[in-house]
Amino acid sequence: MVAAGATSPCPAASLWSHPEALNGFLMAVTEDGYVFYVSPTVQDYLGFHQSDVIYQSVFELIHKEDRAMFRSQFLWPADAAPVSREGEQDIHPLPGEKFLSLSGTSTDSLQHQPLDDPSYLERSFVCRFRCLLDNSSGFLELNFHGHLKFLSGQNNRSEDGILMSPQRTLFAIAAPCQPLTILELQDKTFLFQTKHKLDFTPIACDSRGKLVLGYTDSELCRTGSGYQFVHAADMTHCAENHVRLMRTGESGLTVFRLLTKEAGWLWVQSNARLLFRGGQPDSIVARQRALT
């Protein structure tokens, strides 16, 4: 992801190899808002699968009042145009001050800036991201800490064919502002998440779900409706909430039995939500809690 010879993308570089070791998730966002990378642990904090976030616009996830502030992290220097959550107008420079937008700025011009001073590249800010988890009220406040780096090796060209300079990319750790309580940490061992097509055919299941249910990816996501894993006595109840999900975007809490690989039945409490892409329903994400 980083060109050979480049410096490490963040102070805790080893975390990029072991993202599960930190409280939060890793994210790399280019200056045009393109999510170049996000660690799989994003699912534990936002409820989105890695594939739902990577290669998408980050601004679709950010609270509308925080988008201007997030954009300002790519301005040069970072403190030239402070942006508040309350207004897009704050993105303009203050009287008597100037800033350089990194978009379209040549590497030569940036060489005249004190790039060897890491404080000019360091970024630390708070931003609200959309969250699918039940205890988030729709958004989760995250503390971002990281650095701006050149994303080399893209070889992007302008419309007239001119080779553009490498994009600045924010490599950061995003951690919840409110740490998880001991009870929430214990509950995480009983939570797992599945992703489905609109007819509820399974597409993906996280590692905890595969451990709880005992299936491999190929076994769980084989051809056929997800209802083949639901107890016959619970199908009508699940189907009613499926209809509600398609109508309102959320199923509400549903308690039912899932078939495990050992041919046993596991009671789960589930809440499913629609994921949209391009303004249209795209898939379903279900957050399951194993009941003991």
Side-chain angles (χ1 to χ4, degrees), residues 53-69:
V53 178
I54 198 167
Y55 308 139
Q56 303 300 317
S57 171
V58 72
F59 296 110
E60 293 184 5
L61 295 173
I62 299 174
H63 193 289
K64 64 180 181 179
E65 294 178 0
D66 293 352
R67 291 171 186 170
M69 182 270 297

Side-chain angles (χ1 to χ4, degrees), residues 209-277:
K210 285 181 281 190
L211 183 64
V212 169
L213 298 175
Y215 298 108
T216 64
D217 276 326
S218 60
E219 291 170 337
L220 189 65
C221 303
R222 63 179 182 264
T223 304
S225 169
Y227 284 98
Q228 64 187 308
F229 297 102
V230 177
H231 194 287
D234 301 331
M235 284 189 181
T236 300
H237 178 51
C238 291
E240 290 173 351
N241 282 359
H242 189 182
V243 172
R244 179 193 301 174
L245 166 71
M246 299 306 297
R247 186 176 66 250
T248 67
E250 186 169 355
S251 69
L253 290 179
T254 310
V255 178
F256 60 99
R257 283 159 286 187
L258 277 177
L259 181 65
T260 67
K261 187 174 181 178
E262 288 73 24
W265 293 100
L266 174 71
W267 282 97
V268 297
Q269 182 186 71
S270 175
N271 186 30
R273 299 188 185 187
L274 276 179
L275 288 184
F276 291 82
R277 183 163 296 182

